Amino acid sequence: MPPLRDPQRRAELFLTGCLLVVAFAARYAGRSETTRDMRIFFEWHEQLERAGGWRGLGEAIGNYNAPYLYLLWLASVLPVPLLIGIKLVHAVFDLLLAYWVFRLTAMRRGRRAGIAAALVVILLPTVVINASVWGQIDSIWASFAVGGVWMLARGRGWPGVALCTLSLAFKPHGIFVFALVAVLVPAGRLRARTLLAVPAVWLTVSLPALLLGRSPGELLTVYSLDRQAGVIDLLTDRAPSIFAFLAGTRRLDTARQLGYLLTAALVLGVALLVVARRVRLEETRIVTLAALFAILIPFGLPGMHERYFYLGDVLTVVLAFHLPRLWFVPLLAQAASLGAYTYFLFGQTEQQLDLQALAALMLAALVAVGHTLIRDVLAERPGTPLAPKPVGNTMAE
């Protein structure tokens, strides 16, 4: 690292600091915005208060899992208005997300590239809008998901699975990163016993609510289709997914079931390809797999919101730093996601930003990442080791 007395180094640090100030200012600009989702959080807070404040954490409030209610209660005891408190808590996870992006990029491309990737992510329009304007919690589950990918790429299975489980504990969308785990285990890159971290972490984060009287059965079914997917009766809720191309009103139930089945088939097909070819799963391939699943799964599943490509927005940035030839992929993903945001946030009409055009952009990003992975896997000679061969154990523990 160049010394601080180097003028170029000082200029670099100054400009980095300026970008951080811009990132803070962008979040400050949305401090007073109140959306429909924020009002739902206010209602949950009122229910907590009626149930006795922190004692209300033992009640079945809302349709989010217990860990988010812990954070909602924490936001309510901060010495600021509740609106600001919620957004402050969410902004902390924006920083955590940027940190994991830095680590995941720097492991392959070095410290400067890691800082650049973190700055890009913390300034992504969808990342800025999601927490500070919309007041949504996607940076929370996504930060743990990206941290899990970093740990898994380093061969640290136990903390990797633990972080992936934390992601799932906050939102069911953590399943996007569990598709990566489902590939690494049969590929021999991750020991099956590390999956014991899943119930251990789930029990740990549920324990405060359980001790306060919340029903174990209710906590275990918080992500049931009746309580989650049943809320959205549309094939897509402004998500730029495959269902944007299905404008009809007939056979919706069949289309919904086929969406689940075909998405599962594609994920399993990718897993089979990787396992059958016995490719070496090094850092960049793991990042490529994670980015692929973060786009593929919400693209193929029914009932998705526009926000559910959040992890794909982030991981495609990391992928572009790992594989610079894919520089256009995060641009496609960001354009599709941000375009889908505008309808809810700014009242754009269907005609102003056609959802099918946005879905086509996301499909292009998906095809580019999928083609890169398949070409890379098929190019490697079958029968090579499943993991790198440095001295010592190469399998993630």
Tab-separated table of all heavy atoms in Angstrom, residues 37-64:
chain	number	residue	atom	x	y	z
A	37	ASP	N	-45.202	0.355	3.119
A	37	ASP	CA	-44.512	-0.673	3.895
A	37	ASP	C	-44.043	-0.131	5.244
A	37	ASP	O	-44.075	-0.845	6.252
A	37	ASP	CB	-43.317	-1.215	3.107
A	37	ASP	CG	-43.756	-1.977	1.861
A	37	ASP	OD1	-44.814	-2.627	1.916
A	37	ASP	OD2	-43.063	-1.898	0.841
A	38	MET	N	-43.615	1.136	5.257
A	38	MET	CA	-43.213	1.736	6.524
A	38	MET	C	-44.402	1.826	7.474
A	38	MET	O	-44.271	1.591	8.686
A	38	MET	CB	-42.628	3.129	6.290
A	38	MET	CG	-41.273	3.147	5.605
A	38	MET	SD	-39.966	2.422	6.634
A	38	MET	CE	-39.935	3.560	7.995
A	39	ARG	N	-45.564	2.137	6.946
A	39	ARG	CA	-46.747	2.217	7.799
A	39	ARG	C	-47.109	0.848	8.379
A	39	ARG	O	-47.624	0.764	9.505
A	39	ARG	CB	-47.919	2.807	7.006
A	39	ARG	CG	-47.785	4.316	6.766
A	39	ARG	CD	-49.053	4.902	6.193
A	39	ARG	NE	-49.222	4.548	4.787
A	39	ARG	CZ	-48.722	5.266	3.773
A	39	ARG	NH1	-48.019	6.363	4.016
A	39	ARG	NH2	-48.928	4.897	2.527
A	40	ILE	N	-46.818	-0.203	7.627
A	40	ILE	CA	-47.022	-1.552	8.170
A	40	ILE	C	-46.094	-1.786	9.348
A	40	ILE	O	-46.494	-2.335	10.390
A	40	ILE	CB	-46.802	-2.609	7.074
A	40	ILE	CG1	-47.907	-2.515	6.025
A	40	ILE	CG2	-46.751	-4.011	7.671
A	40	ILE	CD1	-47.690	-3.412	4.825
A	41	PHE	N	-44.832	-1.350	9.224
A	41	PHE	CA	-43.887	-1.488	10.352
A	41	PHE	C	-44.364	-0.681	11.564
A	41	PHE	O	-44.195	-1.111	12.714
A	41	PHE	CB	-42.484	-1.036	9.934
A	41	PHE	CG	-41.862	-1.884	8.850
A	41	PHE	CD1	-40.918	-1.349	7.990
A	41	PHE	CD2	-42.214	-3.215	8.693
A	41	PHE	CE1	-40.333	-2.123	6.997
A	41	PHE	CE2	-41.641	-4.002	7.701
A	41	PHE	CZ	-40.698	-3.440	6.849
A	42	PHE	N	-44.943	0.493	11.307
A	42	PHE	CA	-45.483	1.281	12.413
A	42	PHE	C	-46.605	0.520	13.121
A	42	PHE	O	-46.709	0.546	14.359
A	42	PHE	CB	-46.023	2.627	11.906
A	42	PHE	CG	-44.977	3.546	11.334
A	42	PHE	CD1	-45.334	4.570	10.465
A	42	PHE	CD2	-43.644	3.393	11.663
A	42	PHE	CE1	-44.371	5.411	9.943
A	42	PHE	CE2	-42.672	4.241	11.139
A	42	PHE	CZ	-43.041	5.244	10.278
A	43	GLU	N	-47.460	-0.140	12.341
A	43	GLU	CA	-48.538	-0.931	12.941
A	43	GLU	C	-47.971	-2.063	13.795
A	43	GLU	O	-48.481	-2.336	14.890
A	43	GLU	CB	-49.430	-1.498	11.836
A	43	GLU	CG	-50.235	-0.448	11.089
A	43	GLU	CD	-50.998	-1.035	9.917
A	43	GLU	OE1	-50.983	-2.293	9.771
A	43	GLU	OE2	-51.595	-0.256	9.146
A	44	TRP	N	-46.917	-2.714	13.303
A	44	TRP	CA	-46.291	-3.786	14.094
A	44	TRP	C	-45.722	-3.223	15.395
A	44	TRP	O	-45.805	-3.858	16.440
A	44	TRP	CB	-45.195	-4.472	13.293
A	44	TRP	CG	-45.701	-5.227	12.098
A	44	TRP	CD1	-47.008	-5.422	11.736
A	44	TRP	CD2	-44.912	-5.886	11.106
A	44	TRP	NE1	-47.078	-6.159	10.581
A	44	TRP	CE2	-45.824	-6.459	10.169
A	44	TRP	CE3	-43.549	-6.043	10.913
A	44	TRP	CZ2	-45.370	-7.191	9.065
A	44	TRP	CZ3	-43.101	-6.770	9.807
A	44	TRP	CH2	-44.012	-7.337	8.905
A	45	HIS	N	-45.134	-2.021	15.297
A	45	HIS	CA	-44.594	-1.397	16.500
A	45	HIS	C	-45.705	-1.102	17.499
A	45	HIS	O	-45.544	-1.314	18.711
A	45	HIS	CB	-43.854	-0.109	16.135
A	45	HIS	CG	-43.469	0.707	17.326
A	45	HIS	ND1	-44.145	1.854	17.695
A	45	HIS	CD2	-42.494	0.523	18.253
A	45	HIS	CE1	-43.606	2.341	18.777
A	45	HIS	NE2	-42.596	1.569	19.140
A	46	GLU	N	-46.839	-0.612	17.009
A	46	GLU	CA	-47.969	-0.348	17.903
A	46	GLU	C	-48.446	-1.629	18.586
A	46	GLU	O	-48.785	-1.628	19.780
A	46	GLU	CB	-49.109	0.292	17.113
A	46	GLU	CG	-48.802	1.709	16.639
A	46	GLU	CD	-49.907	2.258	15.754
A	46	GLU	OE1	-50.917	1.531	15.558
A	46	GLU	OE2	-49.762	3.384	15.248
A	47	GLN	N	-48.449	-2.723	17.840
A	47	GLN	CA	-48.830	-4.010	18.441
A	47	GLN	C	-47.824	-4.433	19.505
A	47	GLN	O	-48.201	-4.974	20.548
A	47	GLN	CB	-48.944	-5.078	17.355
A	47	GLN	CG	-50.073	-4.844	16.369
A	47	GLN	CD	-50.098	-5.893	15.274
A	47	GLN	OE1	-50.044	-7.091	15.540
A	47	GLN	NE2	-50.185	-5.457	14.026
A	48	LEU	N	-46.529	-4.196	19.241
A	48	LEU	CA	-45.503	-4.483	20.252
A	48	LEU	C	-45.742	-3.665	21.514
A	48	LEU	O	-45.648	-4.182	22.641
A	48	LEU	CB	-44.112	-4.184	19.697
A	48	LEU	CG	-43.470	-5.219	18.772
A	48	LEU	CD1	-42.164	-4.678	18.195
A	48	LEU	CD2	-43.198	-6.523	19.519
A	49	GLU	N	-46.049	-2.391	21.335
A	49	GLU	CA	-46.275	-1.520	22.477
A	49	GLU	C	-47.486	-1.967	23.287
A	49	GLU	O	-47.451	-1.987	24.527
A	49	GLU	CB	-46.456	-0.078	21.999
A	49	GLU	CG	-45.181	0.570	21.489
A	49	GLU	CD	-44.126	0.661	22.585
A	49	GLU	OE1	-44.389	1.298	23.619
A	49	GLU	OE2	-43.047	0.058	22.412
A	50	ARG	N	-48.561	-2.330	22.591
A	50	ARG	CA	-49.759	-2.799	23.301
A	50	ARG	C	-49.504	-4.104	24.045
A	50	ARG	O	-50.140	-4.394	25.061
A	50	ARG	CB	-50.917	-2.976	22.311
A	50	ARG	CG	-51.486	-1.675	21.783
A	50	ARG	CD	-52.845	-1.895	21.143
A	50	ARG	NE	-52.774	-2.773	19.986
A	50	ARG	CZ	-52.612	-2.362	18.738
A	50	ARG	NH1	-52.494	-1.059	18.493
A	50	ARG	NH2	-52.586	-3.212	17.743
A	51	ALA	N	-48.549	-4.888	23.544
A	51	ALA	CA	-48.227	-6.166	24.185
A	51	ALA	C	-47.164	-6.023	25.269
A	51	ALA	O	-46.729	-7.033	25.834
A	51	ALA	CB	-47.775	-7.175	23.139
A	52	GLY	N	-46.721	-4.795	25.557
A	52	GLY	CA	-45.753	-4.589	26.628
A	52	GLY	C	-44.347	-4.283	26.183
A	52	GLY	O	-43.388	-4.568	26.907
A	53	GLY	N	-44.162	-3.726	24.980
A	53	GLY	CA	-42.823	-3.388	24.518
A	53	GLY	C	-42.027	-4.629	24.178
A	53	GLY	O	-42.434	-5.449	23.343
A	54	TRP	N	-40.892	-4.813	24.848
A	54	TRP	CA	-40.048	-5.978	24.546
A	54	TRP	C	-40.756	-7.284	24.876
A	54	TRP	O	-40.464	-8.324	24.277
A	54	TRP	CB	-38.719	-5.876	25.293
A	54	TRP	CG	-38.831	-5.853	26.794
A	54	TRP	CD1	-38.919	-4.762	27.585
A	54	TRP	CD2	-38.861	-6.993	27.663
A	54	TRP	NE1	-39.006	-5.125	28.904
A	54	TRP	CE2	-38.957	-6.495	28.992
A	54	TRP	CE3	-38.805	-8.368	27.474
A	54	TRP	CZ2	-39.017	-7.326	30.109
A	54	TRP	CZ3	-38.850	-9.209	28.582
A	54	TRP	CH2	-38.957	-8.689	29.876
A	55	ARG	N	-41.698	-7.233	25.789
A	55	ARG	CA	-42.470	-8.453	26.086
A	55	ARG	C	-43.321	-8.889	24.888
A	55	ARG	O	-43.654	-10.065	24.748
A	55	ARG	CB	-43.362	-8.235	27.305
A	55	ARG	CG	-42.596	-7.987	28.607
A	55	ARG	CD	-43.541	-7.758	29.765
A	55	ARG	NE	-42.827	-7.504	31.004
A	55	ARG	CZ	-42.376	-6.318	31.381
A	55	ARG	NH1	-42.568	-5.270	30.570
A	55	ARG	NH2	-41.724	-6.160	32.513
A	56	GLY	N	-43.643	-7.928	24.035
A	56	GLY	CA	-44.425	-8.253	22.845
A	56	GLY	C	-43.665	-9.084	21.826
A	56	GLY	O	-44.267	-9.598	20.872
A	57	LEU	N	-42.349	-9.249	22.018
A	57	LEU	CA	-41.577	-10.089	21.111
A	57	LEU	C	-41.992	-11.548	21.194
A	57	LEU	O	-41.635	-12.354	20.332
A	57	LEU	CB	-40.072	-9.948	21.411
A	57	LEU	CG	-39.492	-8.538	21.229
A	57	LEU	CD1	-38.048	-8.496	21.687
A	57	LEU	CD2	-39.614	-8.104	19.762
A	58	GLY	N	-42.735	-11.882	22.213
A	58	GLY	CA	-43.255	-13.242	22.334
A	58	GLY	C	-44.581	-13.433	21.629
A	58	GLY	O	-45.155	-14.533	21.674
A	59	GLU	N	-45.084	-12.378	20.962
A	59	GLU	CA	-46.347	-12.467	20.240
A	59	GLU	C	-46.102	-12.687	18.748
A	59	GLU	O	-45.055	-12.309	18.209
A	59	GLU	CB	-47.146	-11.177	20.435
A	59	GLU	CG	-47.451	-10.843	21.885
A	59	GLU	CD	-48.461	-11.805	22.487
A	59	GLU	OE1	-49.307	-12.328	21.717
A	59	GLU	OE2	-48.417	-12.022	23.713
A	60	ALA	N	-47.072	-13.278	18.074
A	60	ALA	CA	-47.007	-13.471	16.620
A	60	ALA	C	-47.487	-12.197	15.947
A	60	ALA	O	-48.683	-12.011	15.716
A	60	ALA	CB	-47.858	-14.664	16.209
A	61	ILE	N	-46.560	-11.298	15.658
A	61	ILE	CA	-46.885	-9.992	15.084
A	61	ILE	C	-46.322	-9.926	13.673
A	61	ILE	O	-45.136	-10.192	13.457
A	61	ILE	CB	-46.310	-8.860	15.942
A	61	ILE	CG1	-46.995	-8.844	17.318
A	61	ILE	CG2	-46.462	-7.511	15.252
A	61	ILE	CD1	-46.390	-7.870	18.298
A	62	GLY	N	-47.168	-9.561	12.718
A	62	GLY	CA	-46.723	-9.429	11.342
A	62	GLY	C	-46.435	-10.775	10.691
A	62	GLY	O	-46.714	-11.833	11.250
A	63	ASN	N	-45.849	-10.720	9.493
A	63	ASN	CA	-45.494	-11.951	8.788
A	63	ASN	C	-43.998	-12.069	8.541
A	63	ASN	O	-43.562	-12.839	7.687
A	63	ASN	CB	-46.253	-12.046	7.448
A	63	ASN	CG	-45.859	-10.935	6.477
A	63	ASN	OD1	-45.294	-9.921	6.878
A	63	ASN	ND2	-46.171	-11.130	5.207
A	64	TYR	N	-43.197	-11.273	9.311
A	64	TYR	CA	-41.747	-11.442	9.295
A	64	TYR	C	-41.350	-12.315	10.474
A	64	TYR	O	-42.076	-12.412	11.471
A	64	TYR	CB	-41.032	-10.093	9.396
A	64	TYR	CG	-40.989	-9.293	8.115
A	64	TYR	CD1	-41.695	-9.687	6.979
A	64	TYR	CD2	-40.235	-8.124	8.039
A	64	TYR	CE1	-41.658	-8.939	5.819
A	64	TYR	CE2	-40.198	-7.368	6.884
A	64	TYR	CZ	-40.909	-7.783	5.771
A	64	TYR	OH	-40.862	-7.031	4.622
